[in-house]
Amino acid sequence: MSSPARTFTVASRGSPLAQIQTNIVVDALRALHPASDDPSVPKFTTSFMATAGDKNQTQALYLLGGKSLWTKDLEVALLENQADMLVHSLKDVPTVLPDGCIIAGILEREDPLDALVVKKGAPWKTLQDLPAGSVVGTSSVRRVAQLKRQFPHLVCTDVRGNLNTRFSKLDDPNGPYSAIILAKAGMIRLGTGDRITSDLAPPTLYHAVSQGALAIEVRSSDAEAIELCKQLTHWQTQYRCLAERACLRVLEGGCSVPVGVFSTLQEDVTKVRSGELTLFGCVTSLDGQTHVEQTLTCPAENIDDAETLGVRVAKSLLATGARKILDEINEDRARRIQDAKE
């Protein structure tokens, strides 16, 4: 007789977007293992919780610390066997994971671009259309830095909350915002793509590392979960995102930094899981005055090749001015955190 099926608890944050993304993963897992009377077919259930990042909706993300705001509480549940798989927006996952945790699956990427959303009824279609002094809402230091570089006549202001909250703040006739910037992928998954006024593609904005991709984190000792996640992995997305994450890992030191990326993969149809991988990376000072960028291309036949490319891009950035920018950002963050305590 076959052994009884295992039930996997798939966990994530409790936001509407996180729940949708978790159900995307669960549906994919169930498609691989359709429900049947066979007792050996694995089962999947969901669990949702609030993380530190969800609980603090007032302080700027720049001052709150690293990306673990969105993942640490979930990882505690994972390591304590209260969950078996965690579903994340990969852009929110720290580039260094806790001992005992690994990214075991990366699904095919949704469009990674940022998107402009203007106030309802407003005539503007692009960032270039916005009048001088217009307030643009975003909680990303990357976007702020790049906007200040190219659109110094605009005013960037922090905006937090879930998507509906941000839309309400934007559309309030008495509110300050002329527009907000959001990740296009999240809007598409939430069914609010009709609110997108225009895409913000390079060179207007370079998107966040791994933006648009969903990742599954599991215990490194859980061979069964790892094997399930491998079946969902889109290798082209995996190569691109791991190259981007390797670049950020070298640059960030665990904190939020204004790093933008853009990657492409030209598949080699004569080889299995192989292609020409190109990674663009940039670092921009908070005031937009200093900007460094690098682009490198290499053959990629495995994830080690992809990560090596990311490291090379990061080292090139550091050697051409990024180190000075990042040092100044860390000093600024420490000073502002200290000022807030006094």
Side-chain angles (χ1 to χ4, degrees), residues 9-47:
T9 299
V10 185
S12 188
R13 297 164 55 201
S15 72
L17 177 58
Q19 293 194 42
I20 287 171
Q21 293 177 164
T22 301
N23 287 326
I24 288 172
V25 171
V26 170
D27 288 346
L29 288 166
R30 287 173 175 161
L32 289 173
H33 303 277
S36 71
D37 294 331
D38 183 347
S40 65
V41 174
K43 306 293 189 297
F44 306 94
T45 187
T46 57
S47 176

PDB file of all heavy atoms in Angstrom, residues 9-47:
ATOM      1  N   THR A   9       1.445  22.944   3.774  1.00  0.00           N
ATOM      2  CA  THR A   9       0.892  24.253   4.103  1.00  0.00           C
ATOM      3  C   THR A   9       1.682  25.323   3.368  1.00  0.00           C
ATOM      4  O   THR A   9       2.894  25.462   3.573  1.00  0.00           O
ATOM      5  CB  THR A   9       0.943  24.517   5.613  1.00  0.00           C
ATOM      6  OG1 THR A   9       0.157  23.524   6.288  1.00  0.00           O
ATOM      7  CG2 THR A   9       0.399  25.903   5.947  1.00  0.00           C
ATOM      8  N   VAL A  10       1.004  26.042   2.493  1.00  0.00           N
ATOM      9  CA  VAL A  10       1.621  27.094   1.677  1.00  0.00           C
ATOM     10  C   VAL A  10       1.228  28.436   2.289  1.00  0.00           C
ATOM     11  O   VAL A  10       0.044  28.777   2.337  1.00  0.00           O
ATOM     12  CB  VAL A  10       1.164  27.007   0.212  1.00  0.00           C
ATOM     13  CG1 VAL A  10       1.919  28.022  -0.645  1.00  0.00           C
ATOM     14  CG2 VAL A  10       1.348  25.587  -0.326  1.00  0.00           C
ATOM     15  N   ALA A  11       2.212  29.171   2.773  1.00  0.00           N
ATOM     16  CA  ALA A  11       1.936  30.376   3.568  1.00  0.00           C
ATOM     17  C   ALA A  11       2.457  31.634   2.885  1.00  0.00           C
ATOM     18  O   ALA A  11       3.384  31.594   2.074  1.00  0.00           O
ATOM     19  CB  ALA A  11       2.564  30.246   4.953  1.00  0.00           C
ATOM     20  N   SER A  12       1.855  32.750   3.255  1.00  0.00           N
ATOM     21  CA  SER A  12       2.303  34.038   2.752  1.00  0.00           C
ATOM     22  C   SER A  12       1.704  35.135   3.618  1.00  0.00           C
ATOM     23  O   SER A  12       1.048  34.869   4.630  1.00  0.00           O
ATOM     24  CB  SER A  12       1.883  34.228   1.285  1.00  0.00           C
ATOM     25  OG  SER A  12       2.479  35.389   0.750  1.00  0.00           O
ATOM     26  N   ARG A  13       1.971  36.372   3.224  1.00  0.00           N
ATOM     27  CA  ARG A  13       1.365  37.518   3.891  1.00  0.00           C
ATOM     28  C   ARG A  13      -0.146  37.520   3.625  1.00  0.00           C
ATOM     29  O   ARG A  13      -0.640  36.834   2.738  1.00  0.00           O
ATOM     30  CB  ARG A  13       1.983  38.815   3.375  1.00  0.00           C
ATOM     31  CG  ARG A  13       3.454  38.966   3.660  1.00  0.00           C
ATOM     32  CD  ARG A  13       4.090  40.051   2.806  1.00  0.00           C
ATOM     33  NE  ARG A  13       3.403  41.330   2.960  1.00  0.00           N
ATOM     34  CZ  ARG A  13       3.470  42.322   2.079  1.00  0.00           C
ATOM     35  NH1 ARG A  13       4.188  42.183   0.970  1.00  0.00           N
ATOM     36  NH2 ARG A  13       2.826  43.452   2.302  1.00  0.00           N
ATOM     37  N   GLY A  14      -0.854  38.329   4.417  1.00  0.00           N
ATOM     38  CA  GLY A  14      -2.310  38.333   4.311  1.00  0.00           C
ATOM     39  C   GLY A  14      -2.881  39.375   3.380  1.00  0.00           C
ATOM     40  O   GLY A  14      -4.096  39.473   3.244  1.00  0.00           O
ATOM     41  N   SER A  15      -2.044  40.143   2.707  1.00  0.00           N
ATOM     42  CA  SER A  15      -2.554  41.180   1.804  1.00  0.00           C
ATOM     43  C   SER A  15      -3.301  40.539   0.637  1.00  0.00           C
ATOM     44  O   SER A  15      -3.041  39.385   0.279  1.00  0.00           O
ATOM     45  CB  SER A  15      -1.408  42.040   1.277  1.00  0.00           C
ATOM     46  OG  SER A  15      -0.631  41.307   0.354  1.00  0.00           O
ATOM     47  N   PRO A  16      -4.235  41.282   0.023  1.00  0.00           N
ATOM     48  CA  PRO A  16      -4.954  40.720  -1.130  1.00  0.00           C
ATOM     49  C   PRO A  16      -4.011  40.231  -2.226  1.00  0.00           C
ATOM     50  O   PRO A  16      -4.222  39.158  -2.799  1.00  0.00           O
ATOM     51  CB  PRO A  16      -5.810  41.901  -1.611  1.00  0.00           C
ATOM     52  CG  PRO A  16      -6.054  42.714  -0.378  1.00  0.00           C
ATOM     53  CD  PRO A  16      -4.773  42.607   0.411  1.00  0.00           C
ATOM     54  N   LEU A  17      -2.952  40.998  -2.524  1.00  0.00           N
ATOM     55  CA  LEU A  17      -2.022  40.581  -3.566  1.00  0.00           C
ATOM     56  C   LEU A  17      -1.288  39.308  -3.168  1.00  0.00           C
ATOM     57  O   LEU A  17      -1.132  38.385  -3.981  1.00  0.00           O
ATOM     58  CB  LEU A  17      -1.017  41.696  -3.860  1.00  0.00           C
ATOM     59  CG  LEU A  17       0.062  41.357  -4.899  1.00  0.00           C
ATOM     60  CD1 LEU A  17      -0.559  40.955  -6.226  1.00  0.00           C
ATOM     61  CD2 LEU A  17       1.016  42.546  -5.078  1.00  0.00           C
ATOM     62  N   ALA A  18      -0.827  39.234  -1.917  1.00  0.00           N
ATOM     63  CA  ALA A  18      -0.107  38.044  -1.472  1.00  0.00           C
ATOM     64  C   ALA A  18      -1.000  36.803  -1.535  1.00  0.00           C
ATOM     65  O   ALA A  18      -0.538  35.715  -1.892  1.00  0.00           O
ATOM     66  CB  ALA A  18       0.413  38.250  -0.053  1.00  0.00           C
ATOM     67  N   GLN A  19      -2.268  36.963  -1.213  1.00  0.00           N
ATOM     68  CA  GLN A  19      -3.183  35.827  -1.275  1.00  0.00           C
ATOM     69  C   GLN A  19      -3.401  35.369  -2.714  1.00  0.00           C
ATOM     70  O   GLN A  19      -3.432  34.165  -3.000  1.00  0.00           O
ATOM     71  CB  GLN A  19      -4.510  36.188  -0.609  1.00  0.00           C
ATOM     72  CG  GLN A  19      -4.377  36.413   0.890  1.00  0.00           C
ATOM     73  CD  GLN A  19      -5.716  36.430   1.619  1.00  0.00           C
ATOM     74  OE1 GLN A  19      -6.580  35.618   1.332  1.00  0.00           O
ATOM     75  NE2 GLN A  19      -5.863  37.340   2.565  1.00  0.00           N
ATOM     76  N   ILE A  20      -3.529  36.326  -3.628  1.00  0.00           N
ATOM     77  CA  ILE A  20      -3.675  35.977  -5.042  1.00  0.00           C
ATOM     78  C   ILE A  20      -2.440  35.236  -5.528  1.00  0.00           C
ATOM     79  O   ILE A  20      -2.524  34.209  -6.216  1.00  0.00           O
ATOM     80  CB  ILE A  20      -3.931  37.241  -5.877  1.00  0.00           C
ATOM     81  CG1 ILE A  20      -5.352  37.754  -5.641  1.00  0.00           C
ATOM     82  CG2 ILE A  20      -3.700  36.974  -7.367  1.00  0.00           C
ATOM     83  CD1 ILE A  20      -5.630  39.110  -6.257  1.00  0.00           C
ATOM     84  N   GLN A  21      -1.258  35.738  -5.157  1.00  0.00           N
ATOM     85  CA  GLN A  21      -0.012  35.116  -5.602  1.00  0.00           C
ATOM     86  C   GLN A  21       0.144  33.715  -5.023  1.00  0.00           C
ATOM     87  O   GLN A  21       0.636  32.803  -5.699  1.00  0.00           O
ATOM     88  CB  GLN A  21       1.163  36.017  -5.225  1.00  0.00           C
ATOM     89  CG  GLN A  21       1.141  37.322  -6.017  1.00  0.00           C
ATOM     90  CD  GLN A  21       2.237  38.300  -5.649  1.00  0.00           C
ATOM     91  OE1 GLN A  21       2.515  39.236  -6.394  1.00  0.00           O
ATOM     92  NE2 GLN A  21       2.853  38.127  -4.488  1.00  0.00           N
ATOM     93  N   THR A  22      -0.271  33.546  -3.777  1.00  0.00           N
ATOM     94  CA  THR A  22      -0.206  32.222  -3.158  1.00  0.00           C
ATOM     95  C   THR A  22      -1.123  31.245  -3.878  1.00  0.00           C
ATOM     96  O   THR A  22      -0.757  30.086  -4.131  1.00  0.00           O
ATOM     97  CB  THR A  22      -0.590  32.313  -1.674  1.00  0.00           C
ATOM     98  OG1 THR A  22       0.311  33.202  -1.020  1.00  0.00           O
ATOM     99  CG2 THR A  22      -0.534  30.955  -1.001  1.00  0.00           C
ATOM    100  N   ASN A  23      -2.302  31.711  -4.241  1.00  0.00           N
ATOM    101  CA  ASN A  23      -3.242  30.841  -4.950  1.00  0.00           C
ATOM    102  C   ASN A  23      -2.747  30.501  -6.353  1.00  0.00           C
ATOM    103  O   ASN A  23      -3.047  29.415  -6.868  1.00  0.00           O
ATOM    104  CB  ASN A  23      -4.625  31.486  -4.997  1.00  0.00           C
ATOM    105  CG  ASN A  23      -5.316  31.452  -3.641  1.00  0.00           C
ATOM    106  OD1 ASN A  23      -5.144  30.500  -2.881  1.00  0.00           O
ATOM    107  ND2 ASN A  23      -6.078  32.482  -3.322  1.00  0.00           N
ATOM    108  N   ILE A  24      -1.980  31.409  -6.969  1.00  0.00           N
ATOM    109  CA  ILE A  24      -1.360  31.089  -8.263  1.00  0.00           C
ATOM    110  C   ILE A  24      -0.435  29.885  -8.108  1.00  0.00           C
ATOM    111  O   ILE A  24      -0.447  28.953  -8.921  1.00  0.00           O
ATOM    112  CB  ILE A  24      -0.576  32.312  -8.799  1.00  0.00           C
ATOM    113  CG1 ILE A  24      -1.548  33.402  -9.267  1.00  0.00           C
ATOM    114  CG2 ILE A  24       0.358  31.900  -9.940  1.00  0.00           C
ATOM    115  CD1 ILE A  24      -0.863  34.707  -9.639  1.00  0.00           C
ATOM    116  N   VAL A  25       0.367  29.903  -7.043  1.00  0.00           N
ATOM    117  CA  VAL A  25       1.299  28.804  -6.790  1.00  0.00           C
ATOM    118  C   VAL A  25       0.547  27.520  -6.453  1.00  0.00           C
ATOM    119  O   VAL A  25       0.856  26.439  -6.978  1.00  0.00           O
ATOM    120  CB  VAL A  25       2.279  29.179  -5.668  1.00  0.00           C
ATOM    121  CG1 VAL A  25       3.106  27.966  -5.239  1.00  0.00           C
ATOM    122  CG2 VAL A  25       3.187  30.310  -6.124  1.00  0.00           C
ATOM    123  N   VAL A  26      -0.428  27.627  -5.576  1.00  0.00           N
ATOM    124  CA  VAL A  26      -1.192  26.431  -5.176  1.00  0.00           C
ATOM    125  C   VAL A  26      -1.908  25.824  -6.380  1.00  0.00           C
ATOM    126  O   VAL A  26      -1.926  24.594  -6.564  1.00  0.00           O
ATOM    127  CB  VAL A  26      -2.183  26.787  -4.053  1.00  0.00           C
ATOM    128  CG1 VAL A  26      -3.151  25.626  -3.810  1.00  0.00           C
ATOM    129  CG2 VAL A  26      -1.430  27.111  -2.771  1.00  0.00           C
ATOM    130  N   ASP A  27      -2.489  26.668  -7.225  1.00  0.00           N
ATOM    131  CA  ASP A  27      -3.164  26.153  -8.426  1.00  0.00           C
ATOM    132  C   ASP A  27      -2.173  25.421  -9.334  1.00  0.00           C
ATOM    133  O   ASP A  27      -2.501  24.385  -9.927  1.00  0.00           O
ATOM    134  CB  ASP A  27      -3.825  27.299  -9.200  1.00  0.00           C
ATOM    135  CG  ASP A  27      -5.058  27.850  -8.489  1.00  0.00           C
ATOM    136  OD1 ASP A  27      -5.548  27.196  -7.554  1.00  0.00           O
ATOM    137  OD2 ASP A  27      -5.512  28.952  -8.880  1.00  0.00           O
ATOM    138  N   ALA A  28      -0.952  25.958  -9.431  1.00  0.00           N
ATOM    139  CA  ALA A  28       0.066  25.310 -10.261  1.00  0.00           C
ATOM    140  C   ALA A  28       0.484  23.963  -9.663  1.00  0.00           C
ATOM    141  O   ALA A  28       0.688  22.982 -10.391  1.00  0.00           O
ATOM    142  CB  ALA A  28       1.276  26.220 -10.407  1.00  0.00           C
ATOM    143  N   LEU A  29       0.610  23.916  -8.353  1.00  0.00           N
ATOM    144  CA  LEU A  29       0.958  22.659  -7.688  1.00  0.00           C
ATOM    145  C   LEU A  29      -0.157  21.623  -7.860  1.00  0.00           C
ATOM    146  O   LEU A  29       0.111  20.441  -8.130  1.00  0.00           O
ATOM    147  CB  LEU A  29       1.208  22.917  -6.195  1.00  0.00           C
ATOM    148  CG  LEU A  29       2.501  23.657  -5.854  1.00  0.00           C
ATOM    149  CD1 LEU A  29       2.463  24.152  -4.408  1.00  0.00           C
ATOM    150  CD2 LEU A  29       3.716  22.758  -6.074  1.00  0.00           C
ATOM    151  N   ARG A  30      -1.393  22.067  -7.716  1.00  0.00           N
ATOM    152  CA  ARG A  30      -2.522  21.139  -7.865  1.00  0.00           C
ATOM    153  C   ARG A  30      -2.663  20.666  -9.310  1.00  0.00           C
ATOM    154  O   ARG A  30      -3.114  19.541  -9.560  1.00  0.00           O
ATOM    155  CB  ARG A  30      -3.799  21.808  -7.387  1.00  0.00           C
ATOM    156  CG  ARG A  30      -3.861  21.943  -5.859  1.00  0.00           C
ATOM    157  CD  ARG A  30      -5.055  22.750  -5.410  1.00  0.00           C
ATOM    158  NE  ARG A  30      -5.155  22.774  -3.942  1.00  0.00           N
ATOM    159  CZ  ARG A  30      -5.851  23.673  -3.255  1.00  0.00           C
ATOM    160  NH1 ARG A  30      -6.522  24.631  -3.896  1.00  0.00           N
ATOM    161  NH2 ARG A  30      -5.887  23.624  -1.935  1.00  0.00           N
ATOM    162  N   ALA A  31      -2.265  21.515 -10.269  1.00  0.00           N
ATOM    163  CA  ALA A  31      -2.319  21.091 -11.671  1.00  0.00           C
ATOM    164  C   ALA A  31      -1.326  19.967 -11.938  1.00  0.00           C
ATOM    165  O   ALA A  31      -1.574  19.074 -12.752  1.00  0.00           O
ATOM    166  CB  ALA A  31      -2.035  22.281 -12.583  1.00  0.00           C
ATOM    167  N   LEU A  32      -0.191  20.018 -11.235  1.00  0.00           N
ATOM    168  CA  LEU A  32       0.799  18.949 -11.360  1.00  0.00           C
ATOM    169  C   LEU A  32       0.338  17.674 -10.661  1.00  0.00           C
ATOM    170  O   LEU A  32       0.712  16.564 -11.056  1.00  0.00           O
ATOM    171  CB  LEU A  32       2.135  19.394 -10.747  1.00  0.00           C
ATOM    172  CG  LEU A  32       2.926  20.448 -11.511  1.00  0.00           C
ATOM    173  CD1 LEU A  32       4.126  20.897 -10.674  1.00  0.00           C
ATOM    174  CD2 LEU A  32       3.401  19.898 -12.856  1.00  0.00           C
ATOM    175  N   HIS A  33      -0.466  17.835  -9.625  1.00  0.00           N
ATOM    176  CA  HIS A  33      -0.923  16.705  -8.817  1.00  0.00           C
ATOM    177  C   HIS A  33      -2.427  16.832  -8.585  1.00  0.00           C
ATOM    178  O   HIS A  33      -2.875  17.185  -7.485  1.00  0.00           O
ATOM    179  CB  HIS A  33      -0.173  16.670  -7.485  1.00  0.00           C
ATOM    180  CG  HIS A  33       1.311  16.596  -7.637  1.00  0.00           C
ATOM    181  ND1 HIS A  33       1.984  15.408  -7.850  1.00  0.00           N
ATOM    182  CD2 HIS A  33       2.261  17.564  -7.650  1.00  0.00           C
ATOM    183  CE1 HIS A  33       3.279  15.646  -7.972  1.00  0.00           C
ATOM    184  NE2 HIS A  33       3.474  16.945  -7.853  1.00  0.00           N
ATOM    185  N   PRO A  34      -3.223  16.555  -9.615  1.00  0.00           N
ATOM    186  CA  PRO A  34      -4.686  16.714  -9.499  1.00  0.00           C
ATOM    187  C   PRO A  34      -5.264  15.856  -8.377  1.00  0.00           C
ATOM    188  O   PRO A  34      -4.780  14.758  -8.097  1.00  0.00           O
ATOM    189  CB  PRO A  34      -5.192  16.236 -10.866  1.00  0.00           C
ATOM    190  CG  PRO A  34      -4.012  16.353 -11.782  1.00  0.00           C
ATOM    191  CD  PRO A  34      -2.818  16.083 -10.936  1.00  0.00           C
ATOM    192  N   ALA A  35      -6.293  16.410  -7.733  1.00  0.00           N
ATOM    193  CA  ALA A  35      -6.960  15.681  -6.656  1.00  0.00           C
ATOM    194  C   ALA A  35      -7.534  14.374  -7.188  1.00  0.00           C
ATOM    195  O   ALA A  35      -8.098  14.323  -8.278  1.00  0.00           O
ATOM    196  CB  ALA A  35      -8.066  16.547  -6.061  1.00  0.00           C
ATOM    197  N   SER A  36      -7.342  13.345  -6.415  1.00  0.00           N
ATOM    198  CA  SER A  36      -7.873  12.032  -6.803  1.00  0.00           C
ATOM    199  C   SER A  36      -8.057  11.195  -5.546  1.00  0.00           C
ATOM    200  O   SER A  36      -7.762  11.635  -4.430  1.00  0.00           O
ATOM    201  CB  SER A  36      -6.913  11.340  -7.773  1.00  0.00           C
ATOM    202  OG  SER A  36      -5.733  10.931  -7.094  1.00  0.00           O
ATOM    203  N   ASP A  37      -8.548   9.984  -5.751  1.00  0.00           N
ATOM    204  CA  ASP A  37      -8.729   9.081  -4.612  1.00  0.00           C
ATOM    205  C   ASP A  37      -7.422   8.407  -4.204  1.00  0.00           C
ATOM    206  O   ASP A  37      -7.366   7.694  -3.206  1.00  0.00           O
ATOM    207  CB  ASP A  37      -9.767   8.003  -4.955  1.00  0.00           C
ATOM    208  CG  ASP A  37     -11.158   8.586  -5.155  1.00  0.00           C
ATOM    209  OD1 ASP A  37     -11.431   9.624  -4.516  1.00  0.00           O
ATOM    210  OD2 ASP A  37     -11.933   8.029  -5.948  1.00  0.00           O
ATOM    211  N   ASP A  38      -6.363   8.644  -4.996  1.00  0.00           N
ATOM    212  CA  ASP A  38      -5.068   8.051  -4.681  1.00  0.00           C
ATOM    213  C   ASP A  38      -4.534   8.693  -3.393  1.00  0.00           C
ATOM    214  O   ASP A  38      -4.271   9.898  -3.357  1.00  0.00           O
ATOM    215  CB  ASP A  38      -4.097   8.312  -5.834  1.00  0.00           C
ATOM    216  CG  ASP A  38      -2.736   7.651  -5.606  1.00  0.00           C
ATOM    217  OD1 ASP A  38      -2.469   7.220  -4.470  1.00  0.00           O
ATOM    218  OD2 ASP A  38      -1.948   7.597  -6.564  1.00  0.00           O
ATOM    219  N   PRO A  39      -4.369   7.924  -2.343  1.00  0.00           N
ATOM    220  CA  PRO A  39      -3.944   8.505  -1.064  1.00  0.00           C
ATOM    221  C   PRO A  39      -2.507   9.025  -1.074  1.00  0.00           C
ATOM    222  O   PRO A  39      -2.098   9.728  -0.160  1.00  0.00           O
ATOM    223  CB  PRO A  39      -4.083   7.337  -0.081  1.00  0.00           C
ATOM    224  CG  PRO A  39      -3.946   6.109  -0.932  1.00  0.00           C
ATOM    225  CD  PRO A  39      -4.571   6.466  -2.249  1.00  0.00           C
ATOM    226  N   SER A  40      -1.743   8.719  -2.137  1.00  0.00           N
ATOM    227  CA  SER A  40      -0.353   9.168  -2.165  1.00  0.00           C
ATOM    228  C   SER A  40      -0.183  10.525  -2.855  1.00  0.00           C
ATOM    229  O   SER A  40       0.919  11.070  -2.874  1.00  0.00           O
ATOM    230  CB  SER A  40       0.516   8.133  -2.882  1.00  0.00           C
ATOM    231  OG  SER A  40       0.157   8.033  -4.242  1.00  0.00           O
ATOM    232  N   VAL A  41      -1.273  11.061  -3.412  1.00  0.00           N
ATOM    233  CA  VAL A  41      -1.185  12.359  -4.098  1.00  0.00           C
ATOM    234  C   VAL A  41      -1.112  13.471  -3.053  1.00  0.00           C
ATOM    235  O   VAL A  41      -1.964  13.549  -2.158  1.00  0.00           O
ATOM    236  CB  VAL A  41      -2.404  12.587  -5.015  1.00  0.00           C
ATOM    237  CG1 VAL A  41      -2.380  14.006  -5.603  1.00  0.00           C
ATOM    238  CG2 VAL A  41      -2.426  11.556  -6.136  1.00  0.00           C
ATOM    239  N   PRO A  42      -0.093  14.343  -3.128  1.00  0.00           N
ATOM    240  CA  PRO A  42       0.036  15.394  -2.108  1.00  0.00           C
ATOM    241  C   PRO A  42      -1.122  16.376  -2.147  1.00  0.00           C
ATOM    242  O   PRO A  42      -1.732  16.619  -3.188  1.00  0.00           O
ATOM    243  CB  PRO A  42       1.353  16.082  -2.471  1.00  0.00           C
ATOM    244  CG  PRO A  42       1.565  15.774  -3.920  1.00  0.00           C
ATOM    245  CD  PRO A  42       0.977  14.409  -4.132  1.00  0.00           C
ATOM    246  N   LYS A  43      -1.409  16.935  -0.985  1.00  0.00           N
ATOM    247  CA  LYS A  43      -2.481  17.929  -0.851  1.00  0.00           C
ATOM    248  C   LYS A  43      -1.863  19.265  -0.449  1.00  0.00           C
ATOM    249  O   LYS A  43      -0.762  19.320   0.105  1.00  0.00           O
ATOM    250  CB  LYS A  43      -3.495  17.481   0.207  1.00  0.00           C
ATOM    251  CG  LYS A  43      -4.067  16.087  -0.013  1.00  0.00           C
ATOM    252  CD  LYS A  43      -4.926  16.032  -1.265  1.00  0.00           C
ATOM    253  CE  LYS A  43      -5.685  14.694  -1.355  1.00  0.00           C
ATOM    254  NZ  LYS A  43      -4.810  13.531  -1.480  1.00  0.00           N
ATOM    255  N   PHE A  44      -2.597  20.350  -0.690  1.00  0.00           N
ATOM    256  CA  PHE A  44      -2.073  21.681  -0.423  1.00  0.00           C
ATOM    257  C   PHE A  44      -3.137  22.543   0.245  1.00  0.00           C
ATOM    258  O   PHE A  44      -4.292  22.555  -0.179  1.00  0.00           O
ATOM    259  CB  PHE A  44      -1.609  22.340  -1.729  1.00  0.00           C
ATOM    260  CG  PHE A  44      -0.630  21.510  -2.497  1.00  0.00           C
ATOM    261  CD1 PHE A  44      -1.071  20.656  -3.515  1.00  0.00           C
ATOM    262  CD2 PHE A  44       0.719  21.541  -2.188  1.00  0.00           C
ATOM    263  CE1 PHE A  44      -0.171  19.865  -4.216  1.00  0.00           C
ATOM    264  CE2 PHE A  44       1.627  20.746  -2.885  1.00  0.00           C
ATOM    265  CZ  PHE A  44       1.171  19.910  -3.893  1.00  0.00           C
ATOM    266  N   THR A  45      -2.715  23.215   1.308  1.00  0.00           N
ATOM    267  CA  THR A  45      -3.596  24.139   2.010  1.00  0.00           C
ATOM    268  C   THR A  45      -2.848  25.459   2.196  1.00  0.00           C
ATOM    269  O   THR A  45      -1.625  25.507   2.076  1.00  0.00           O
ATOM    270  CB  THR A  45      -4.038  23.562   3.366  1.00  0.00           C
ATOM    271  OG1 THR A  45      -5.021  24.418   3.946  1.00  0.00           O
ATOM    272  CG2 THR A  45      -2.856  23.433   4.325  1.00  0.00           C
ATOM    273  N   THR A  46      -3.595  26.535   2.488  1.00  0.00           N
ATOM    274  CA  THR A  46      -2.961  27.853   2.596  1.00  0.00           C
ATOM    275  C   THR A  46      -3.072  28.415   4.012  1.00  0.00           C
ATOM    276  O   THR A  46      -3.957  28.047   4.776  1.00  0.00           O
ATOM    277  CB  THR A  46      -3.602  28.859   1.615  1.00  0.00           C
ATOM    278  OG1 THR A  46      -5.014  28.936   1.870  1.00  0.00           O
ATOM    279  CG2 THR A  46      -3.365  28.438   0.173  1.00  0.00           C
ATOM    280  N   SER A  47      -2.133  29.310   4.316  1.00  0.00           N
ATOM    281  CA  SER A  47      -2.123  30.005   5.599  1.00  0.00           C
ATOM    282  C   SER A  47      -1.580  31.403   5.367  1.00  0.00           C
ATOM    283  O   SER A  47      -0.607  31.583   4.624  1.00  0.00           O
ATOM    284  CB  SER A  47      -1.239  29.253   6.606  1.00  0.00           C
ATOM    285  OG  SER A  47      -1.140  29.970   7.828  1.00  0.00           O
TER     286      SER A  47
END
